Amino acid sequence: MSEKTPTTSLIQFETRHILPIPENERNGSVWSLFAIWVGINMLPLTVVTGAIASGSFGLSIGWSIAAILTGNLIGALGAALHASQGPHLGIPQMLQARAQFGYLGGSLLAGIALLMFLGFFASILVVAKDSLVAVFPWIPGPPLIIALAAVGILIAIVGYDLLQKVMTVLSTLIAIAVIVAMVALIMHPEATVQSPDAGFTAQGFFGMLAIGITWQLAYAPYVSDYSRYLPKKTGPAAAFWATYLGLVLSSVFVMILGVLLGAANPENPLAALGEVLGPLGMGVLVIFGLTAAIINAAELYSGVMCALTAVQSGFRRVTIDTRTRVITTVVCGVIATLGALAGDSDFMLVFQNFVTLLLSVLIPWSAINLVDYFIVRKGEYAVYELFDRAGGRYGRWNVIGLGTYAIGLAAQAPFMISGIYTGPLAEALGYVDVAWVAGFVVSGVVYLLAVRFSERRRSRQLVLEETPTR
């Protein structure tokens, strides 16, 4: 069930894939975990997301920052709570879904998360390409997307050790570039003067707040993929704070840069770097574009963890080993790259709809997982039974988990606001996005009540079976 990991090379080639990480191979640290989550947000995509507040929603710079800060502070709580599970269990985040949804049911959730990871991989490719094309307009877009994708695929093939070492270096480099760009923009206040119409709207504020929450919860399905490499003695609190602070500090910081650029050029915030800052802005764009290709490997790496979880559940004859992981990485990378090439022309519209859909599918899973881990089981899981094809104590299909997930999705439907679908109650609420609140609360409460009812019913049944009959 395990493969021996080499320990002599400078960079260790990953061989554990979705298996539990033994204590003697947990070479992560609190600092490296913090650096991963700082670096992973230092992307041009984060800039574009922040620009939605001042560009698409028309919020003033002050209200944009308030919405971004509030949304990220709330959403990162969920992501960091998921991350705190990693040192204790030592397994990828979505593999743990088997405990809430069953051996086969968990593969459905892993499949949903896989689509999310491939979507982000594709989105980051498009925005990284845009950053470089803004500086080098003579470079054709499609070959550039393919080249950037190849970098991410190669790093993901090597695995966690290379990823965490690269991210530790890049997080510092890009942070310096972002600070320089932000200071330079502040020194050009005339460039970020907004129209008189910019200000506060409930729809814009809560819409951006929901995007901030979504942005952070999008990390929830893979935070334990990295915290599982922390030694168990590190404890949940250290994993929580390294993840929380890394995610919030980097996201808010880079999104604020996006707010300023969105005010300068609502149509193309990345181009504003070059337009306002000249050669300095061009240099920042090059750093953004090149480093995004490397950071993007994290999206693909965790997507592959989900794909392997689903493959192991659905195909008995497939052995999950290093060869399978490498092949899966290439296949997933190619699929996501084709998606980037296909969706390049209407990126902003596609991306905003993607983010809205992402929120609706992640919220119920997050609530169910957190309630199950912290309230129902209190962190006590039989890890190796999660690999039992017969389901073990968790079963092949968990009706309570899957049923609650469906209820959570349904609870959001009346309140949803997107370009694809708008719920019947959205207009009555002034198009303020509260779907995430309904989805999280309903999913968490229904799951807890259903589990408690099932436990009481099982206890009564045992009492009846043990009571002697006359």
Side-chain angles (χ1 to χ4, degrees):
M1 190 174 180
S2 65
E3 297 178 58
K4 193 172 182 179
T5 304
T7 56
T8 55
S9 59
L10 185 62
I11 301 295
Q12 296 180 20
F13 191 88
E14 177 138 352
T15 57
R16 286 290 171 185
H17 39 84
I18 59 175
L19 293 176
I21 307 300
E23 187 67 27
N24 64 345
E25 293 178 17
R26 296 192 182 191
N27 56 359
S29 66
V30 174
W31 166 247
S32 67
L33 187 65
F34 173 78
I36 284 172
W37 298 120
V38 168
I40 210 166
N41 279 307
M42 297 290 185
L43 293 167
L45 184 62
T46 319
V47 175
V48 170
T49 303
I52 293 173
S54 54
S56 300
F57 287 138
L59 294 171
S60 66
I61 290 175
W63 282 114
S64 296
I65 294 173
I68 286 170
L69 180 61
T70 307
N72 280 278
L73 286 171
I74 294 171
L77 285 172
L81 284 171
H82 288 289
S84 69
Q85 303 167 13
H88 180 59
L89 298 178
I91 55 175
Q93 190 73 62
M94 292 312 295
L95 189 137
Q96 195 214 112
R98 291 174 176 175
Q100 296 96 46
F101 301 96
Y103 185 84
L104 295 177
S107 67
L108 296 178
L109 275 295
I112 291 171
L114 171 61
L115 293 177
M116 180 201 80
F117 290 124
L118 297 187
F120 266 117
F121 187 83
S123 300
I124 291 169
L125 286 178
V126 172
V127 182
K129 179 267 300 178
D130 288 343
S131 298
L132 294 173
V133 168
V135 180
F136 309 108
W138 44 268
I139 300 179
L144 187 54
I145 286 177
I146 293 171
L148 293 172
V151 173
I153 291 171
L154 287 173
I155 294 174
I157 284 173
V158 177
Y160 165 81
D161 195 49
L162 178 59
L163 259 173
Q164 61 101 3
K165 287 174 179 172
V166 167
M167 296 287 274
T168 301
V169 175
L170 288 184
S171 59
T172 303
L173 171 65
I174 314 171
I176 293 172
V178 172
I179 291 171
V180 169
M182 190 174 289
V183 170
L185 276 171
I186 293 172
M187 293 174 65
H188 291 78
E190 72 285 351
T192 57
V193 173
Q194 295 179 282
S195 72
D197 296 332
F200 174 85
T201 65
Q203 180 182 350
F205 181 84
F206 285 99
M208 194 62 212
L209 182 144
I211 287 176
I213 292 171
T214 306
W215 184 265
Q216 296 297 347
L217 279 181
Y219 293 116
Y222 64 127
V223 282
S224 282
D225 294 0
Y226 300 97
S227 63
R228 66 183 172 140
Y229 281 92
L230 291 178
K232 197 168 186 175
K233 65 181 180 181
T234 304
F240 174 91
W241 286 112
T243 303
Y244 187 79
L245 294 175
L247 286 174
V248 171
L249 290 174
S250 56
S251 299
V252 171
F253 192 56
V254 181
M255 283 186 187
I256 290 174
L257 175 62
V259 169
L260 297 175
L261 294 173
N265 185 344
E267 299 300 321
N268 191 344
L270 287 174
L273 272 172
E275 294 166 356
V276 177
L277 303 182
L280 174 62
M282 295 292 190
V284 173
L285 282 171
V286 171
I287 292 173
F288 263 144
L290 295 178
T291 55
I294 299 171
I295 294 171
N296 206 12
E299 306 289 346
L300 184 58
Y301 173 79
S302 289
V304 169
M305 295 298 107
C306 293
L308 294 176
T309 299
V311 167
Q312 187 187 57
S313 300
F315 300 93
R316 288 180 174 271
R317 296 186 179 182
V318 176
T319 302
I320 305 300
D321 53 17
T322 300
R323 179 175 176 273
T324 306
R325 183 182 68 81
V326 171
I327 292 172
T328 305
T329 302
V330 173
V331 171
C332 289
V334 169
I335 292 172
T337 304
L338 292 174
L341 293 170
D344 187 12
S345 54
D346 357 274
F347 170 71
M348 283 306 293
L349 177 62
V350 171
F351 179 66
Q352 282 185 259
N353 289 332
F354 170 68
V355 166
T356 305
L357 180 63
L358 188 61
L359 182 62
S360 66
V361 298
L362 284 180
I363 285 287
W365 163 79
S366 179
I368 291 167
N369 175 273
L370 294 177
V371 168
D372 187 70
Y373 186 91
F374 290 102
I375 300 177
V376 176
R377 304 184 195 273
K378 296 180 173 59
E380 295 304 316
Y381 291 83
V383 171
Y384 280 96
E385 289 199 35
L386 295 173
F387 296 87
D388 185 350
R389 288 190 178 276
R393 71 182 64 184
Y394 304 110
R396 289 168 68 82
W397 299 97
N398 187 312
V399 175
I400 291 177
L402 293 168
T404 301
Y405 184 78
I407 292 170
L409 291 178
Q412 297 177 84
F415 308 98
M416 284 184 65
I417 303 166
S418 74
I420 303 171
Y421 166 81
T422 299
L425 297 181
E427 184 176 3
L429 293 171
Y431 294 101
V432 173
D433 193 341
V434 296
W436 60 275
V437 179
F440 193 89
V441 173
V442 169
S443 300
V445 171
V446 168
Y447 183 78
L448 182 59
L449 292 177
V451 169
R452 294 298 190 225
F453 176 78
S454 177
E455 289 174 346
R456 290 193 189 100
R457 186 177 179 182
R458 192 180 302 114
S459 297
R460 284 196 296 267
Q461 185 64 34
L462 288 173
V463 169
L464 289 173
E465 290 174 358
E466 293 172 1
T467 302
T469 57
R470 295 185 182 182

